[in-house]
Amino acid sequence: MLTGVADTEGRAKLDHELSRNPAFAGVVDAVSDAAEAFSIDPRAGGLEFASLEAATSVPSRCRMKLFRPREEKDRLCAFFFKKSNIAGSRDRFSYGAVEFLPDRLRPEEIRTWIAWLASGLDPALRPSNLKRAFLYTIPE
Amino acid sequence: MRLDPSCDLVDDARQVSRTRAGLGSGLEIVIPGPLKDIWTNVPVEEDFAARSPYLLVKDGPGYEIRDGRSGEGYSVRIPPEPRWYGAHTSRGTEMRRVGVLQGTYLGIYISNACLYWYSNPPQNCRFCTTGSNVGVNEMAEKHLDDVVEVARAAKEESGVTFVHFNSGYQAGRDLEQAAPYVQAVKERVGALVGVQLMPTRDLWKYDQLIDLGADHFSFCYEFHNPEYFARYLPGKQKTVGQETFFRALEYTAKLLGKGAVSGEIIAGVEPVEDTLRAIDYITSVGAFPTVCVFRPVIGADMESHPVPRYEDMRPVFEHVYQACKRNGIPIGVAPNIEVSLICQPDDTRYLAPPGPTTWIYETQLKLMRKVARPLFRRKLAPRRARAGVAALEPAC
């Protein structure tokens, strides 16, 4: 379930990111169909999903950010991280990223990402093709 | 440490920013004391921090740490964030993404990432998150001019005297990659320069790096017990081995003299007896031990590893002081170098046993600090290197 896209800011963000990278639509659809609840952060770079805490529906620290690392290349990236718990901190605790080509992304792969995010980034559920290190800068 | 809602870290503190190996994931604080202030980076983000008996509270304009078990409180200082953190270099790079203060020195991670992270399967050290930080919280590539500008800003605004470069595994080109940065800071800024790199079997390269201006080498061999070394440092085990660390440590300690080189180890994972053996070995070759208390950082392979106990760690640091004293290692002699990520040897003076040998050692250290002042003044001024960067390339 995807929340926060009914309001103007959320909708505008989603439309903007989908227009730049139509391949993200498959991920958006899968998140929308998921049983667990997620929201998007309209102010974050790329398209950033947060899992929502079951009890409070508040975004947790666990995030998945979709973005294009290099504008001149087709390769896209799903980056998984935890946000800092400290107010005002921009720190991000990386758990790794999956790189993919737009026309090669399979729905079952997306579902593993969603399950991992919803689990709180449980190490036992890490995607098998997760990369831990990157040569590019992740947008904030 | 837990954070009370009264804390105003946005305005009062350095931004908690995990860089380099991930160890700087905590809050920088200063613990004042009669012998010296202790700079430390305190875990606040990790799950285990939420179970800490220590609570940081803002009390009026100041801060205090309160122990929930005894009710005792101790005033601490929160060093503010330097203005230059948010400034940009001429190339438009935000300075904090090039280097940060860790205590009172400037730490810069110069390589794109440790190549152990790019192996399949990854061969990264199991406690580390370096590969996860670079490109996330830091610039993936550090331009030389950016580094010079940041070092200059840190020196002028924060009084930094020591710039520390480190990198992960660079497939044997580690010292070559560091060389331009060492030379640039020495010639264009003026500071003590330290280098923490994978060791090389080509020991002549250390002579060259010293000619370029390196004042200090640090060797992170982490675990003295060879089984733990192999288990938790698969990349280091495969590519260089523990002995290469020892040979490089011994070689550079001989070149630079007592107290200029360090062996960095982690306490709280291998048996304490092995940590004590490490401290004895490091000091026996004229180097000083820098001991990190193991921190299971978020996102690391060892994220769920138990946290060390205070009762096990205290004897380790008592031993650091005793070993330095026994081997006549100068500690706390260089000006304004406070390291927050580890317990540095002169912090352990608080654990020194009273008695004549301690008094003699402390008197010697006081004299050394006085005598060394003119030497350090010279080293802190920009000066031309004795060699060029090309000297690190072999002649044949």
Side-chain angles (χ1 to χ4, degrees):
Chain A
M1 179 172 52
L2 184 60
T3 67
V5 291
D7 61 81
T8 313
E9 198 184 10
R11 189 73 245 169
K13 174 63 170 172
L14 195 58
D15 290 344
H16 172 72
E17 293 299 333
L18 289 174
S19 70
R20 294 183 69 218
N21 294 293
F24 292 170
V27 181
V28 173
D29 290 343
V31 171
S32 302
D33 293 341
E36 301 90 348
F38 301 89
S39 65
I40 66 164
D41 184 343
R43 284 175 293 275
L47 185 55
E48 188 172 302
F49 297 91
S51 64
L52 301 185
E53 302 278 3
T56 58
S57 296
V58 165
S60 77
R61 351 169 36 175
C62 300
R63 303 294 168 104
M64 174 175 70
K65 184 191 288 286
L66 304 180
F67 70 102
R68 182 187 295 263
R70 301 195 203 283
E71 283 305 314
E72 69 279 11
K73 297 214 190 291
D74 290 339
R75 194 171 294 271
L76 303 172
C77 180
F79 169 62
F80 298 86
F81 67 104
K82 280 184 181 169
K83 285 187 68 136
S84 170
N85 268 341
I86 297 174
S89 171
R90 291 156 56 189
D91 212 1
R92 299 174 292 178
F93 298 89
S94 167
Y95 278 74
V98 176
E99 294 177 342
F100 60 96
L101 289 171
D103 54 352
R104 301 237 190 115
L105 184 56
R106 294 164 296 129
E108 53 268 33
E109 190 172 3
I110 300 172
R111 283 194 288 275
T112 66
W113 301 352
I114 293 169
W116 193 37
L117 185 62
S119 76
L121 302 176
D122 181 346
L125 297 179
R126 267 184 202 160
S128 59
N129 55 347
L130 187 76
K131 283 181 71 167
R132 303 288 295 280
F134 335 102
L135 289 171
Y136 38 78
T137 302
I138 313 283
E140 293 196 54
Chain B
M1 180 169 75
R2 292 172 293 124
L3 301 174
D4 187 77
S6 60
C7 296
D8 181 9
L9 299 185
V10 172
D11 288 333
D12 296 340
R14 290 179 186 175
Q15 180 191 322
V16 175
S17 173
R18 190 173 69 162
T19 52
R20 293 153 63 105
L23 207 57
S25 63
L27 181 66
E28 298 265 302
I29 69 169
V30 180
I31 306 172
L35 293 180
K36 69 181 296 282
D37 292 346
I38 293 185
W39 287 70
T40 186
N41 183 289
V42 182
V44 292
E45 291 269 21
E46 291 79 4
D47 290 342
F48 68 81
R51 299 190 294 270
S52 172
Y54 301 112
L55 180 69
L56 181 70
V57 177
K58 183 164 186 178
D59 192 7
Y63 281 84
E64 184 178 81
I65 291 179
R66 292 187 188 153
D67 187 338
R69 297 164 298 187
S70 62
E72 283 182 272
Y74 197 97
S75 290
V76 296
R77 288 201 320 271
I78 308 291
E81 180 161 295
R83 258 188 338 221
W84 59 263
Y85 265 27
H88 290 75
T89 66
S90 315
R91 298 180 68 252
T93 309
E94 192 182 18
M95 288 196 178
R96 79 171 85 232
R97 291 174 67 89
V98 176
V100 291
L101 296 182
Q102 286 169 324
T104 61
Y105 76 92
L106 177 66
I108 297 177
Y109 195 84
I110 58 178
S111 66
N112 282 5
C114 175
L115 293 178
Y116 291 143
W117 286 80
Y118 297 92
S119 308
N120 191 9
Q123 298 284 304
N124 56 285
C125 299
R126 298 308 185 213
F127 54 81
C128 182
T129 57
T130 284
S132 306
N133 292 343
V134 180
V136 177
N137 297 328
E138 300 181 53
M139 294 305 292
E141 296 178 25
K142 307 282 169 46
H143 196 280
L144 197 62
D145 290 340
D146 283 346
V147 167
V148 167
E149 280 190 55
V150 169
R152 194 174 286 131
K155 180 180 179 180
E156 288 168 5
E157 191 182 320
S158 302
V160 158
T161 57
F162 179 52
V163 180
H164 189 245
F165 293 111
N166 78 328
S167 82
Y169 178 59
Q170 298 299 305
R173 291 199 49 80
D174 308 72
L175 274 71
E176 287 87 338
Q177 289 199 358
Y181 295 95
V182 172
Q183 184 175 16
V185 168
K186 273 305 209 191
E187 291 189 346
R188 294 161 65 182
V189 180
L192 296 167
V193 175
V195 170
Q196 183 178 89
L197 303 168
M198 288 295 290
T200 178
R201 293 183 182 98
D202 298 325
L203 297 175
W204 58 269
K205 290 185 181 180
Y206 292 110
D207 299 68
Q208 302 296 340
L209 216 54
I210 291 168
D211 282 346
L212 287 174
D215 299 290
H216 161 77
F217 295 98
S218 169
F219 297 98
C220 298
Y221 77 91
E222 324 294 4
F223 303 115
H224 202 71
N225 183 310
E227 282 176 27
Y228 281 74
F229 185 94
R231 186 191 315 166
Y232 290 109
L233 319 172
K236 290 182 178 181
Q237 170 74 2
K238 189 176 176 188
T239 57
V240 296
Q242 195 184 48
E243 286 297 315
T244 308
F245 280 91
F246 294 156
R247 299 295 84 78
L249 180 74
E250 290 158 13
Y251 184 80
T252 51
K254 266 209 194 79
L255 278 182
L256 287 175
K258 268 192 187 178
V261 170
S262 66
E264 189 153 311
I265 53 174
I266 297 173
V269 178
E270 65 180 345
V272 169
E273 297 72 32
D274 291 317
T275 303
L276 301 184
R277 271 192 274 275
I279 293 164
D280 287 339
Y281 161 69
I282 292 165
T283 52
S284 75
V285 302
F288 62 94
T290 51
V291 183
C292 305
V293 175
F294 171 68
R295 182 183 304 189
V297 293
I298 301 174
D301 295 327
M302 291 175 76
E303 185 176 353
S304 304
H305 198 282
V307 179
R309 300 182 329 136
Y310 163 79
E311 294 77 10
D312 294 331
M313 293 297 97
R314 186 182 164 117
V316 168
F317 294 105
E318 288 171 347
H319 197 78
V320 167
Y321 185 86
Q322 295 285 55
C324 287
K325 183 176 72 174
R326 188 167 58 246
N327 289 282
I329 307 296
I331 58 175
V333 173
N336 192 32
I337 300 181
E338 299 291 343
V339 182
S340 57
L341 299 190
I342 51 105
C343 185
Q344 57 196 74
D346 59 327
D347 290 341
T348 67
R349 292 165 61 208
Y350 282 100
L351 303 177
T357 58
T358 297
W359 184 86
I360 291 169
Y361 183 47
E362 290 291 327
T363 306
Q364 288 169 340
L365 292 176
K366 203 169 171 181
L367 190 63
M368 275 189 240
R369 277 191 284 274
K370 201 168 178 176
V371 165
R373 250 181 244 144
L375 167 69
F376 284 117
R377 239 190 328 265
R378 274 201 308 278
K379 281 184 173 281
L380 293 175
R383 47 198 281 253
R384 230 175 138 60
R386 287 201 293 269
V389 167
L392 252 88
E393 303 296 337
C396 55

